[in-house]
Amino acid sequence: MAGAKSGVHVSQLKPIVVSDNLIKGNKFIKWDDDSIIGTPVTLKVDPKGYIMFWKDQNKEMDCLEISMIKDTRTGKYARSPKEGKLRDSCTMGARDVALEDKTVSICYGTDHISVQWINFTCNSKECAMEWAECVLEYSRSPLSNNANALTYLEKTHVKISSVLNAEGKISVKNVLKTFAQQREDRKRVEKALEAAGLPHGKNDCINPNKFTFNDMYNVYRHLTIRSDIDQIFDKIGAKKRPYLTLEQFMELINKTQRDPRLNEVLYPYMSQSQVQEIIDKFEFNRSMAQKGHISRDGFLRYLMSDENNLIPDERLDLSMDMNRPLSHYFINSSHNTYLTENQLTGKSSVEMYRQVLLSGCRCIELDCWDGKGADEEPMITHGYTMCTEISFKEVIEAIAESAFKTSEYPVILSFENHCTLKQQAKMAAYCRSIFGDMLVTEPLEGYPLKPDSSLPSPEMLKRKILVKNKKKHKVSVVLFKVVLPHLALIRVSAYEETGRMIGHRILPIEGLRPGYRHIPLRNALNQPLNLPTLFVHLSVKDYVPDAFEDFAAALANPIAYQSMLEKHSKQLEVLMEDFDVESNNAQAGVQDDNVETSTSIPPSNFTKKRTDSLMSKTDSVVSASSTEGKNGLNRKGSKHAVLSQQESTGSALSQSSSTGSTPAGATHQDVTKILSGTESSAQLSTASFLGTTKLANPEMSAAISLEELKQQRPFLKYRLKMKKEIEKLQKKHQKAKQNMQDVHRTIEQKLLVSHFKAVRSMEKKHRKILKKAGRNGSLENLQPSLDQQLNQLKDAQKRERAEMKRIHSEDLIELSQSHFQLELDSVRALDKPMYDLMDQILQTSLDDRLEMLRDIHEDEVDLLKKRLAQQNREEIKALQKKHKDKQELSRVKRENQHKHITMAVAEREKLKGLLEKRVTEVKENHEAVKKTLAEERQKRNEDLQQDYEDKCLKIEQEYREWYRWKSMEILSTLSIADSVDDLTSDDESTTQLLSVKPL
């Protein structure tokens, strides 16, 4: 279970330990197929086993990520220089040792076809062997290829700091190239370098001794701007503080990051001391760590570290039981293994067998044909096509060399053998000589190839090659048991806006840990990528079928469950007491009514039962697990789930034909005579057969209706999901509108306060002027002008507030209309998969219906054959009794046989015509439903658009009216105090306007 730590496991999970020789490096001559002469280099591997890098005589450096390496070869299978000059320049060491034995050929790439090669030649066979074996081992490390996000960041740091320029420094150009491909992205990287205090000009260089991993982490932090981490950090409890307390961090680890299915006794919760150890490990601020606090950076380091791996290490190890019979396992298999392209004109390649085996495939295909050359060597190709040919012998050599590099479990060769006996003998000789002891030529002791015997286990067949070859006489092996491994997987992918895939990851469901996790992505060949990572929040729980929900609840919380039972029991007692009182007051007439009611079924209930039955059938179409109906056919394993409501009745009426009984129209006495043998069935006309066939029922061509489509469980489930999405969006919009209202109210309050102060200031000034004027005796002349000045100020303020109301109303109109547009776009986006789902259900219904009609037709053809054969036999018996002359009897038999054949052909043609008629009707009916669905889809789009336009117009009209009313009210307001009191009523009125019915 995810989150549990395994006690005992296979010991193949070992961290990479790089050999001292590879760390110190060796002298090699590097070359590839395009080289003119070899280049002397010093080849090294970093101490962590992340990259191999080399420096030439000009101090220029380059590297190759070890995780990108697909294969390493030395000796016979290493690549060899073809040009004489190149070969001479690659000569090193003893002349008596073959150049191939001193060469390490490294195959790398991101797919099986476009592989690339780089070759290194050294001075000894032992050195080449060590490099080939070690580098391949490092590239296959499960721990390294499933590392955490922090390790991949460290790998990028090692790659950058190991590849230096001629001056021994890190080129900023190299850093930019590592992080970004586009020009805009390069500018972001330059800013991140600058923010981290590092040289950032494209012609600048960085001192590798001053470029620590902590510097690399700071560049990453400035480059990514992890706002998602900040939100989680605040949500957990940090809020305005720059840290989480030990208690908050411990609660996250024990509740969110812990698998809730784990047993608390076997896997106890983390204690404070254990959580403190994690804080000490990832919090670099010592004073903060000593207080039991962890900062945002420390929290991010923890989330990216091996302490928070998505999949526990033990799940990467081999933990399956490999001692069961071989037939109990799913086997990773390949079809047309030799092809690099399509199977009509594609090129065949020996290398494909190596690449497929290296990728983990354990069953490969060899299409063997006679060679056409003088040597008559068997070939492998796709027969009767324009595909190229490859040598069978070279393929066998490639398989022998690559079969067990990835896995020691057996390899199965599936021969599609088209060769003559002579060339088959050559094939057998090649297999024996090249495979040697790896080839299984006889059954293992105790495992004979008999029907009642089991096959050997994969463990017993380690490093063995099995040949599966078709023969004329082959005994079938019956498998009584198949053990399914844990096959449940989930695939997550990330794409750019252009549609290019950034990376993906395929993960075992059973091994996932819950909580906040980083998912390092991989390329199309499943090789790890260093930087692309998804950050997710996972929730896990046990699946409990509906039938066991109460039982699971009782186990999870027995006290609460017992309390619920007691409460339910008390409620039931009260209900029974009320029922007893009513029963005691009831009279006999009531009892009669009860009897009548119990013996009759209301039509509405009957209809509901039929609808429920139909629902259960149509549901199974979408879930791809159809259930056979009560009157359904069971021929060749076919099952039909989508039936019309009338079909059950039709099937019941025609059931006699499907069971081989008498045709419709035969009386009870006829049936008795036929069964007793006193009367020939020939006396009943076969012409009545068409009247009894199920295909004669017009209801067989009925299509699933649009209403039935909309009652399908997947459709209803999606509609519920769609409703929740829209409600969520509307709540978000409502909150945004409320926020805008709050902002508007604050602005108006500030404006009113400033207006109030301006009026008070002017009044105070006027009082001083009037006081001074009173002393001079000019008060009467001055008072009117001062009043006019004050009124002008108030009028200007009212106009200013009215204008603000207008601006605010326009803002709210624009916001509301933008929300309506977003809701419209969201509904349309959600509508597309909904209607696609309905199309899918409709198509499945059509396919199922057509299959059902064909099966009915085949069954009734068989029934017709049996009936006509029985009729013919009885007629022959009657003729034998009637005609004693042999010649006459022979003539009459021929005539009867001819009549019988003519009748059979005619009846078959009638049945076929009826089938074709029903098929045509079914298709026409489904097309009609499909057309109706398309029309409804178009109408819904039009209605949504019209609804959107109506809402926009309505909100605009109402706001305009509201603004005119508020403007008049403002202009007629007597005082600023009245305006302040009026703010509350404004909020209530705008809230009413904003509550427009959503889409």
Side-chain angles (χ1 to χ4, degrees):
M1 186 176 292
K5 292 189 176 180
S6 176
V8 180
H9 255 282
V10 180
S11 59
Q12 76 179 48
L13 280 181
K14 298 177 181 178
I16 292 177
V17 179
V18 182
S19 166
D20 290 339
N21 290 339
L22 273 65
I23 294 175
K24 293 176 182 177
N26 292 101
K27 300 294 184 181
F28 285 86
I29 294 177
K30 182 181 77 70
W31 60 275
D32 56 38
D33 293 339
D34 296 329
S35 300
I36 300 175
I37 59 173
T39 304
V41 296
T42 301
L43 182 64
K44 297 181 180 181
V45 173
D46 74 281
K48 295 291 184 69
Y50 294 148
I51 64 168
M52 53 187 300
F53 58 99
W54 54 90
K55 181 191 291 187
D56 61 18
Q57 295 172 326
N58 298 323
K59 296 184 179 181
E60 292 184 359
M61 300 185 69
D62 205 347
C63 70
L64 177 64
E65 291 184 28
I66 291 179
S67 61
M68 294 292 108
I69 294 175
K70 298 159 67 67
D71 194 15
T72 60
R73 300 172 195 171
T74 187
K76 178 181 178 181
Y77 299 107
R79 297 172 78 85
S80 175
K82 297 179 180 179
E83 297 293 332
K85 186 177 181 180
L86 175 60
R87 190 176 182 87
D88 292 340
S89 67
C90 293
T91 302
M92 287 182 70
R95 294 278 182 175
D96 57 343
V97 180
L99 184 62
E100 290 78 7
D101 291 337
K102 296 181 291 184
T103 298
V104 180
S105 294
I106 297 176
C107 173
Y108 65 98
T110 57
D111 60 56
H112 291 323
I113 300 171
S114 304
V115 295
Q116 296 176 275
W117 295 89
I118 188 169
N119 307 280
F120 297 92
T121 302
C122 60
N123 58 7
S124 71
K125 181 178 180 180
E126 293 73 21
C127 178
M129 185 70 71
E130 181 184 17
W131 274 85
E133 292 177 353
C134 290
V135 170
L136 184 61
E137 179 187 348
Y138 304 157
S139 70
R140 300 287 177 187
S141 170
L143 288 179
S144 179
N145 291 330
N146 292 275
N148 54 75
L150 207 60
T151 298
Y152 285 122
L153 192 62
E154 181 185 26
K155 181 178 177 181
T156 305
H157 171 254
V158 170
K159 182 178 177 182
I160 291 173
S161 57
S162 297
V163 180
L164 309 177
N165 59 19
E167 299 173 356
K169 294 184 178 181
I170 301 170
S171 171
V172 171
K173 286 183 179 179
N174 191 27
V175 178
L176 298 177
K177 183 180 178 182
T178 301
F179 281 103
Q181 301 297 326
Q182 303 298 328
R183 184 175 181 180
E184 294 77 10
D185 295 335
R186 293 194 191 101
K187 291 181 180 179
R188 288 181 55 202
V189 178
E190 290 174 357
K191 290 181 180 179
L193 288 170
E194 183 180 9
L198 296 169
H200 57 279
K202 63 179 181 179
N203 296 321
D204 291 346
C205 295
I206 303 173
N207 187 337
N209 298 324
K210 295 182 180 179
F211 185 62
T212 64
F213 177 67
N214 195 42
D215 294 323
M216 179 71 180
Y217 176 82
N218 288 334
V219 173
Y220 167 80
R221 192 76 172 87
H222 289 294
L223 186 60
T224 54
I225 311 174
R226 297 296 298 272
S227 58
D228 51 350
I229 301 297
D230 296 338
Q231 292 174 5
I232 295 167
F233 195 73
D234 293 338
K235 180 181 177 182
I236 295 169
K239 296 183 179 177
K240 295 183 179 180
R241 295 176 305 187
Y243 60 83
L244 291 175
T245 64
L246 187 145
E247 291 75 17
Q248 291 170 337
F249 191 41
M250 183 168 67
E251 184 180 6
L252 171 77
I253 292 175
N254 286 332
K255 288 189 177 180
T256 306
Q257 304 299 103
R258 174 187 166 85
D259 194 323
R261 301 168 294 180
L262 293 178
N263 183 284
E264 292 87 349
V265 178
L266 297 177
Y267 305 98
Y269 291 100
M270 275 199 172
S271 63
Q272 286 192 355
S273 59
Q274 290 173 313
V275 176
Q276 182 63 50
E277 290 178 4
I278 295 177
I279 292 176
D280 292 338
K281 182 177 180 180
F282 297 106
E283 181 50 61
F284 290 178
N285 187 326
R286 292 297 94 196
S287 62
M288 190 176 284
Q290 289 172 3
K291 297 176 184 178
H293 297 165
I294 186 168
S295 65
R296 277 179 167 80
D297 278 345
F299 181 60
L300 177 56
R301 288 190 184 93
Y302 160 74
L303 290 177
M304 296 176 67
S305 71
D306 56 356
E307 290 282 349
N308 196 52
N309 267 351
L310 177 68
I311 300 175
D313 291 346
E314 62 270 11
R315 291 292 303 175
L316 306 176
D317 201 354
L318 175 62
S319 57
M320 300 294 178
D321 179 9
M322 305 304 288
N323 291 297
R324 296 180 180 272
L326 187 64
S327 55
H328 288 192
Y329 298 86
F330 284 96
I331 300 174
N332 192 349
S333 304
S334 167
H335 176 64
N336 289 349
T337 310
Y338 46 89
L339 288 178
T340 60
E341 300 174 41
N342 65 77
Q343 60 182 11
L344 294 177
T345 60
K347 182 181 178 182
S348 303
S349 170
V350 176
E351 183 62 32
M352 284 302 298
Y353 283 92
R354 286 192 171 94
Q355 296 300 324
V356 167
L357 289 168
L358 290 168
S359 68
C361 193
R362 296 289 89 188
C363 180
I364 55 180
E365 185 181 24
L366 295 86
D367 289 355
C368 306
W369 297 80
D370 285 343
K372 299 177 182 178
D375 53 1
E376 294 187 347
E377 287 290 322
M379 309 296 292
I380 291 178
T381 187
H382 200 271
Y384 308 112
T385 65
M386 292 182 285
C387 296
T388 59
E389 299 174 345
I390 53 176
S391 166
F392 174 84
K393 182 180 179 181
E394 291 180 8
V395 169
I396 297 300
E397 290 175 340
I399 294 171
E401 192 262 339
S402 303
F404 304 110
K405 281 188 172 183
T406 299
S407 169
E408 291 193 337
Y409 287 109
V411 171
I412 301 172
L413 308 185
S414 178
F415 280 17
E416 187 176 309
N417 201 335
H418 303 276
C419 295
T420 59
L421 291 177
K422 181 179 179 181
Q423 297 207 16
Q424 285 186 42
K426 275 191 175 184
M427 291 164 54
Y430 288 145
C431 289
R432 288 179 183 274
S433 62
I434 296 171
F435 291 149
D437 294 338
M438 293 188 295
L439 183 65
V440 176
T441 57
E442 297 292 339
L444 272 64
E445 185 177 354
Y447 295 91
L449 290 179
K450 295 181 180 179
D452 296 333
S453 300
S454 62
L455 296 176
S457 68
E459 191 68 29
M460 298 177 65
L461 293 170
K462 273 188 172 181
R463 299 193 66 83
K464 293 295 182 182
I465 293 177
L466 310 176
V467 173
K468 179 167 69 74
N469 188 29
K470 293 182 181 179
K471 295 184 178 180
K472 291 183 179 179
H473 304 287
K474 186 177 180 181
V475 180
S476 61
V477 178
V478 181
L479 308 179
F480 294 99
K481 183 179 180 183
V482 176
V483 178
L484 297 178
H486 304 292
L487 293 180
L489 302 171
I490 183 172
R491 179 176 183 264
V492 293
S493 305
Y495 294 86
E496 292 181 347
E497 293 179 354
T498 59
R500 187 185 73 86
M501 188 177 77
I502 299 172
H504 77 125
R505 190 73 182 273
I506 301 172
L507 301 163
I509 293 291
E510 196 175 69
L512 295 179
R513 283 173 165 170
Y516 297 104
R517 310 283 175 177
H518 286 86
I519 304 180
L521 300 180
R522 298 186 174 185
N523 61 20
L525 199 61
N526 211 32
Q527 296 169 324
L529 301 172
N530 292 340
L531 296 175
T533 303
L534 285 180
F535 184 59
V536 299
H537 180 239
L538 298 175
S539 298
V540 299
K541 61 181 180 179
D542 287 319
Y543 166 71
V544 179
D546 295 342
F548 298 102
E549 280 186 354
D550 293 342
F551 182 65
L555 290 176
N557 195 340
I559 297 176
Y561 184 73
Q562 185 63 31
S563 300
M564 183 189 70
L565 287 180
E566 292 174 357
K567 182 179 179 181
H568 179 72
S569 178
K570 290 179 181 178
Q571 292 174 343
L572 189 61
E573 288 176 3
V574 174
L575 181 64
M576 291 303 295
E577 289 174 1
D578 295 341
F579 180 75
D580 290 341
V581 172
E582 292 178 3
S583 298
N584 292 333
N585 295 332
Q587 300 298 324
V590 178
Q591 295 178 359
D592 294 340
D593 292 340
N594 289 338
V595 172
E596 182 181 352
T597 303
S598 65
T599 56
S600 62
I601 302 176
S604 60
N605 291 343
F606 176 75
T607 304
K608 183 179 185 300
K609 290 182 179 179
R610 292 294 299 274
T611 305
D612 291 343
S613 173
L614 181 65
M615 280 297 298
S616 65
K617 293 175 183 177
T618 51
D619 283 347
S620 62
V621 175
V622 182
S623 61
S625 57
S626 304
T627 304
E628 186 178 9
K630 186 173 182 180
N631 296 316
L633 296 173
N634 189 11
R635 187 177 188 274
K636 299 181 182 179
S638 63
K639 298 179 181 180
H640 308 284
V642 181
L643 303 175
S644 64
Q645 295 185 9
Q646 298 83 358
E647 187 172 323
S648 297
T649 306
S651 298
L653 291 174
S654 60
Q655 188 177 10
S656 61
S657 65
S658 65
T659 55
S661 58
T662 60
T667 65
H668 177 72
Q669 291 78 7
D670 293 332
V671 176
T672 305
K673 290 177 182 179
I674 291 174
L675 292 177
S676 62
T678 58
E679 184 172 336
S680 172
S681 61
Q683 295 175 4
L684 296 175
S685 172
T686 57
S688 63
F689 183 81
L690 287 178
T692 67
T693 175
K694 290 183 180 181
L695 295 177
N697 185 357
E699 299 298 337
M700 296 299 293
S701 58
I704 185 172
S705 68
L706 201 57
E707 291 72 22
E708 291 169 340
L709 271 177
K710 294 180 180 179
Q711 295 303 315
Q712 300 297 303
R713 188 176 301 168
F715 176 81
L716 294 174
K717 185 176 180 181
Y718 184 83
R719 283 295 298 270
L720 180 60
K721 177 184 176 183
M722 179 178 173
K723 181 181 177 183
K724 290 180 179 178
E725 291 289 335
I726 297 301
E727 288 176 350
K728 182 179 178 182
L729 181 63
Q730 289 165 356
K731 288 180 180 178
K732 180 180 177 182
H733 290 171
Q734 191 63 34
K735 186 176 180 181
K737 292 173 183 177
Q738 187 61 47
N739 291 339
M740 180 174 280
Q741 278 186 276
D742 295 340
V743 172
H744 288 175
R745 183 169 57 251
T746 302
I747 293 173
E748 288 189 32
Q749 287 175 345
K750 290 181 179 180
L751 182 64
L752 286 172
V753 170
S754 66
H755 286 179
F756 182 80
K757 289 181 179 179
V759 170
R760 290 293 178 263
S761 176
M762 181 173 283
E763 288 176 345
K764 185 177 180 181
K765 182 179 178 182
H766 286 181
R767 282 195 297 271
K768 291 180 180 179
I769 295 173
L770 291 172
K771 186 176 180 181
K772 185 177 180 181
R775 296 194 199 102
N776 298 332
S778 59
L779 184 63
E780 294 180 358
N781 297 330
L782 190 60
Q783 183 69 48
S785 64
L786 293 178
D787 290 343
Q788 183 181 4
Q789 187 178 359
L790 183 61
N791 290 333
Q792 288 175 350
L793 175 63
K794 290 181 179 180
D795 291 341
Q797 289 177 346
K798 290 177 182 179
R799 288 193 297 273
E800 185 178 359
R801 185 170 176 232
E803 177 63 17
M804 179 177 288
K805 286 289 184 184
R806 185 191 67 78
I807 295 172
H808 287 178
S809 64
E810 292 294 335
D811 290 345
L812 286 169
I813 290 172
E814 184 179 354
L815 181 65
S816 299
Q817 291 179 346
S818 67
H819 287 175
F820 292 153
Q821 182 64 54
L822 286 173
E823 290 175 15
L824 175 64
D825 295 341
S826 299
V827 171
R828 282 176 171 170
L830 291 168
D831 269 1
K832 185 181 185 304
M834 178 182 71
Y835 281 102
D836 290 345
L837 178 62
M838 294 177 72
D839 287 336
Q840 181 183 353
I841 297 172
L842 187 61
Q843 184 59 44
T844 304
S845 169
L846 173 60
D847 296 341
D848 216 35
R849 174 72 61 156
L850 294 177
E851 183 183 357
M852 180 192 67
L853 292 176
R854 294 186 187 101
D855 284 349
I856 291 174
H857 176 258
E858 291 179 13
D859 277 299
E860 296 191 336
V861 166
D862 292 343
L863 181 61
L864 176 64
K865 288 179 181 178
K866 292 177 182 177
R867 187 171 297 178
L868 291 176
Q870 177 65 23
Q871 177 181 329
N872 188 45
R873 286 194 296 270
E874 292 180 356
E875 288 177 353
I876 293 297
K877 288 180 182 179
L879 290 174
Q880 287 174 342
K881 291 179 181 180
K882 182 178 179 180
H883 298 281
K884 301 300 181 181
D885 182 60
K886 290 185 178 181
Q887 291 183 351
E888 180 65 16
L889 178 62
S890 177
R891 183 186 64 79
V892 174
K893 280 184 178 181
R894 286 195 300 272
E895 291 177 353
N896 188 75
Q897 183 69 19
H898 181 266
K899 181 186 72 173
H900 172 76
I901 293 172
T902 303
M903 183 188 302
V905 171
E907 292 293 319
R908 285 285 298 276
E909 287 298 322
K910 290 177 183 178
L911 278 177
K912 183 179 179 182
L914 190 55
L915 171 65
E916 292 174 350
K917 178 182 177 182
R918 291 289 175 253
V919 167
T920 302
E921 290 173 351
V922 166
K923 291 181 178 179
E924 289 175 351
N925 291 338
H926 276 78
E927 281 299 321
V929 176
K930 191 173 182 180
K931 182 180 178 181
T932 304
L933 181 61
E935 291 173 352
E936 182 188 285
R937 188 173 188 173
Q938 178 63 29
K939 186 176 184 302
R940 177 168 169 80
N941 276 331
E942 294 172 356
D943 291 345
L944 286 173
Q945 182 64 34
Q946 186 61 47
D947 195 27
Y948 160 74
E949 293 173 0
D950 292 344
K951 286 182 175 63
C952 289
L953 180 61
K954 181 179 179 182
I955 200 76
E956 186 173 353
Q957 290 174 346
E958 290 184 353
Y959 268 121
R960 301 269 192 262
E961 183 64 30
W962 174 79
Y963 162 67
R964 285 193 293 270
W965 169 66
K966 291 305 297 181
S967 297
M968 293 173 62
E969 186 180 61
I970 291 169
L971 294 174
S972 62
T973 301
L974 297 177
S975 65
I976 294 179
D978 295 335
S979 298
V980 175
D981 294 337
D982 198 39
L983 279 177
T984 304
S985 64
D986 286 358
D987 294 338
E988 292 176 355
S989 60
T990 52
T991 301
Q992 292 174 357
L993 283 175
L994 291 174
S995 59
V996 178
K997 182 180 177 182
L999 288 169

